[in-house]
Amino acid sequence: SLGTAFKAPTFNELYYPKTGSYVGNPDVQPETALNREIALHYETGSQAVSLTWYRNRIEDMIVWAKVGPLNQPSNVDTARIEGATLAWQGRMGDFNLQASYDWLDAEDANTGKQLTRRAKHTGEFAIGQNIGSWDWRVEWLASSKRYDDKANTTELGGYALTHLYGAYRFAPDWSVFARVNNLFDKDYVLADGYATPGRNAFIGVRYSPK
């Protein structure tokens, strides 16, 4: 696939009033992009695998980042975002499995610096099982480090998370489920100064008419 894109700056990106260390930038310009993607997909029986490659060239890319003591939007003259995703899902015996790996090279084409808040490597793996009216699944997510500023001096460390899910169908269209995210209460951030949830749990009832 091949496509172009256009994105105008939002009102807040232009005129957000100075609040703490955050402020808008009326000089931000719209961004334009040329996007290319190639994907291969193979499926047989209960197994499916796919490989996707993409390369995007963005002119005047709008990014929020630290500029001196302030966090404000600005334009990256030319950004290049290239990456690949390898994904697989299938069954082994009674188990349902899913796995994926993402490689991302997102850089300022003029400086060679990594674009803010984008990790080079991320991976996911999940294993689950259906036992009669019961369903369970364990999910793992891992990410490498990323940077929070254009100069790549503020490093945000990598992290790994574990999630649990379970459900019980007590009627054909009804089930009760529970989910625990960040099981081991990992302390991590996706943007400097913004906390992410620690361990958290949800319980609910789902109605899914067939």
Side-chain angles (χ1 to χ4, degrees):
S1 66
L2 179 69
T4 59
F6 172 86
K7 178 185 176 183
T10 65
F11 185 86
N12 278 344
E13 287 170 339
L14 292 169
Y15 306 117
Y16 190 77
K18 188 175 185 304
T19 304
S21 62
Y22 290 85
V23 65
N25 181 0
D27 295 325
V28 170
Q29 299 298 308
E31 65 178 49
T32 57
L34 174 64
N35 309 318
R36 290 151 288 186
E37 181 178 302
I38 298 174
L40 298 173
H41 182 83
Y42 178 75
E43 189 170 335
T44 177
S46 61
Q47 314 291 321
V49 63
S50 64
L51 176 63
T52 303
W53 169 87
Y54 55 89
R55 183 166 183 165
N56 304 332
R57 182 181 178 88
I58 306 172
E59 304 292 339
D60 293 319
M61 183 179 184
I62 301 170
V63 296
W64 279 85
K66 288 183 178 178
V67 181
L70 297 176
N71 283 280
Q72 64 179 163
S74 60
N75 293 109
V76 173
D77 290 340
T78 303
R80 182 181 62 82
I81 299 177
E82 182 176 9
T85 301
L86 178 64
W88 169 80
Q89 64 179 19
R91 289 181 59 85
M92 288 187 176
D94 295 332
F95 295 96
N96 303 310
L97 297 99
Q98 289 180 302
S100 67
Y101 166 72
D102 289 272
W103 167 76
L104 176 65
D105 182 19
E107 68 174 22
D108 183 328
N110 294 329
T111 66
K113 298 293 186 180
Q114 189 173 335
L115 295 178
T116 59
R117 300 172 184 172
R118 289 172 169 84
K120 280 185 173 289
H121 307 280
T122 56
E124 296 184 44
F125 179 76
I127 182 172
Q129 193 178 25
N130 309 115
I131 307 174
S133 298
W134 292 89
D135 297 331
W136 66 267
R137 186 170 66 250
V138 183
E139 304 166 359
W140 291 274
L141 168 66
S143 173
S144 64
K145 68 180 182 181
R146 64 195 73 200
Y147 295 100
D148 198 66
D149 62 332
K150 287 184 175 182
N152 290 179
T153 58
T154 303
E155 182 178 309
L156 307 177
Y159 59 90
L161 305 177
T162 301
H163 310 310
L164 300 180
Y165 172 83
Y168 174 70
R169 292 185 300 278
F170 58 88
D173 299 333
W174 291 87
S175 61
V176 60
F177 68 91
R179 181 176 179 85
V180 179
N181 295 318
N182 196 0
L183 177 65
F184 299 110
D185 200 25
K186 177 68 176 179
D187 184 15
Y188 70 104
V189 295
L190 301 177
D192 191 34
Y194 285 86
T196 50
R199 185 188 301 113
N200 57 90
F202 301 87
I203 298 175
V205 177
R206 178 178 291 118
Y207 173 62
S208 303
K210 294 181 171 59

